[in-house]
Amino acid sequence: MAADELIFDEGVLAPEPLVEFQGDRGAAHTGGLAILPWRGPWLEAQASGIRVAASAPGPSEEQFGQALVHVQKSRAATWRDLGAAWELLESGGRLLVCGGNDLGITSLVKRLAQELDQPPQILSNRRHARIVAFQRGSGPAPHGADASRIEVPLANGRSVSLHAEPGVFSAKRLDTGTQLLLEALEDEGAPDKILDLGCGIGPLGLASLVRWPEARALLLDGDARAVASAARNLAHLSLETRAEVGWWDAEENCPETGFDLALVNPPFHEGKAVDLRPARAMFTRLAEALAMGGRALIVANRSLPYERDLDGAGSMKILSHSRGYKIIAFTRRSVTRNPGRGRGSRASRR
Ligand SMILES: C[S@@+](CC[C@H](N)C(=O)[O-])C[C@H]1O[C@@H](n2cnc3c(N)ncnc32)[C@H](O)[C@@H]1O
């Protein structure tokens, strides 16, 4: 990322421990702590010996003289990080904010300056990106961002309001693909063991557990904020005894097998570009995790070529087309020849 290069410009990083949000190059350079909620980057940072956490520690646990926040696509997630970074700063410590113009750093910094009631110090401004500093003093703190709630329809005609941490998928409203997949459940027979792969805040797994009161479920996601939201939603619905939530990257093996129903609304974006790699990795995991004869329901934009990726490990059928989406049913028909292609470590359970 071009903006990342700016952190090594003169006068940006002080030679003291740094807490870095959504990146690890600064923390690797100065020492300190990287906060990486995505499990894939977290695993890589950990393997390189960087001290890393999935979420920010409490301010009473540790304090830093400098904090660096990388601006994200989600404005709410960036504000959440700014609030957490501020809390971790010692008095007199510096808050560094780094990001590209395409992510709206200019307007973000303008609002932050108003909230903190101090002008930003521009440390570097090049390559269509900038890095600015504010100082923590006795003045006001950033407002941060609150979690949101979205309504999810359940089988019994009721709906439930789910908790969503800032920045997670569908934090503002239920995704249309998810809604169509929920509707497709009406025609399914009762499963015993359900896998919700890329669960987000959990609408598919949770609604399935309500629909089939005898079933158990495993919900997995690579975003620790989604995992925390799903775990909280399960507890809120008193479903935690029938389900587990795991922090897992699609490149890792699935921590359990033998599922008779899997539900997948696969990710297909990395920033603005279409990136089908995580979806393809999930399909590999599906073929391994389903029991023989087990079935997966996958929702996708009509134009996405998933049928090709699923071909070979089972049989496939398009169940429906609606509102620009398709629902694909995949049934596992044989043992996969190469079940150990993932990173191999087990997902961490919550
Ligand atoms: C399209 S969303 C669907 C979320 C949820 N199932 C729903 O329907 O609202 C895809 C989910 O995949 C997760 N995801 C993206 N890349 C991943 C990866 N490499 N490993 C595991 N999960 C990933 C995202 O965090 C996101 O929650």
Side-chain angles (χ1 to χ4, degrees):
M1 223 191 298
D4 274 15
E5 298 300 326
L6 274 62
I7 65 180
F8 299 112
D9 287 356
E10 209 181 324
V12 173
L13 293 178
E16 62 173 306
L18 167 78
V19 59
E20 181 172 12
F21 288 76
Q22 307 292 339
D24 60 16
R25 293 180 68 192
H29 185 71
T30 59
L33 178 66
I35 312 292
L36 297 172
W38 285 96
R39 183 152 168 100
W42 182 92
L43 285 170
E44 277 168 28
Q46 205 197 35
S48 328
I50 298 167
R51 192 156 76 88
V52 62
S55 59
S60 57
E61 290 169 55
E62 207 168 355
Q63 293 274 291
F64 294 84
Q66 54 184 350
L68 169 61
V69 172
H70 294 272
V71 177
Q72 299 163 67
K73 201 170 88 179
S74 159
R75 206 26 95 86
T78 304
W79 282 108
R80 167 59 67 94
D81 286 350
L82 288 167
W86 192 260
E87 295 268 293
L88 292 174
L89 278 176
E90 293 160 357
S91 178
R94 283 199 318 166
L95 173 67
L96 308 168
V97 188
C98 172
N101 296 344
D102 58 337
L103 291 175
I105 179 126
T106 313
S107 58
L108 179 98
V109 166
K110 200 166 156 191
R111 191 182 132 194
L112 187 56
Q114 282 166 357
E115 287 195 6
L116 298 178
D117 197 20
Q118 60 174 284
Q121 186 191 356
I122 299 174
L123 301 178
S124 185
N125 183 8
R126 62 185 183 92
R127 303 193 71 186
H128 308 292
R130 62 177 55 191
I131 183 158
V132 305
F134 294 92
Q135 193 166 34
R136 179 166 181 171
S138 54
H143 292 145
D146 293 327
S148 51
R149 302 200 74 86
I150 65 161
E151 286 297 312
V152 175
L154 297 175
N156 50 18
R158 285 188 302 129
S159 70
V160 64
S161 152
L162 297 188
H163 168 96
E165 290 290 318
V168 298
F169 178 78
S170 86
K172 292 193 183 132
R173 71 191 71 80
L174 189 66
D175 176 60
T176 308
T178 310
Q179 200 175 335
L180 294 170
L181 200 44
L182 286 172
E183 286 166 21
L185 296 183
E186 284 166 26
D187 302 322
E188 288 298 303
D192 290 330
K193 216 174 149 188
I194 303 163
L195 176 62
D196 182 349
L197 217 51
C199 64
I201 63 171
L204 295 168
L206 291 164
S208 306
L209 287 167
V210 172
R211 174 177 290 278
W212 295 298
E214 303 300 318
R216 302 187 60 79
L218 175 63
L219 290 76
L220 297 173
D221 202 279
D223 181 349
R225 298 162 298 188
V227 171
S229 305
R232 181 172 165 155
N233 289 326
L234 277 169
H236 179 67
L237 292 172
S238 306
L239 292 171
E240 71 275 27
T241 53
R242 291 170 48 214
E244 276 188 82
V245 193
W247 190 39
W248 154 94
D249 183 82
E251 296 291 339
E252 296 181 275
N253 288 336
C254 189
E256 240 177 272
T257 56
F259 292 94
D260 39 17
L261 180 65
L263 302 168
V264 199
N265 180 2
F268 63 94
H269 279 291
E270 172 66 45
K272 285 181 187 157
V274 170
D275 180 1
L276 299 184
R277 280 171 303 179
R280 290 186 168 135
M282 282 186 189
F283 298 153
T284 306
R285 307 282 87 85
L286 262 188
E288 297 161 5
L290 284 173
M292 297 296 226
R295 187 170 151 90
L297 296 182
I298 300 156
V299 66
N301 281 39
R302 235 174 156 142
S303 58
L304 292 171
Y306 289 152
E307 291 84 337
R308 267 186 270 149
D309 299 312
L310 287 161
D311 205 16
S315 60
M316 241 178 346
K317 193 175 164 198
I318 306 279
L319 293 184
S320 60
H321 279 120
S322 171
R323 298 163 74 185
Y325 290 83
K326 58 190 167 192
I327 305 277
I328 308 169
F330 165 82
T331 307
R332 183 178 168 191
R333 72 166 164 240
S334 61
V335 183
T336 45
R337 287 208 190 99
N338 190 9
R341 270 167 47 196
R343 280 194 181 105
S345 54
R346 290 171 71 86
S348 86
R349 301 288 184 79
R350 300 232 161 176

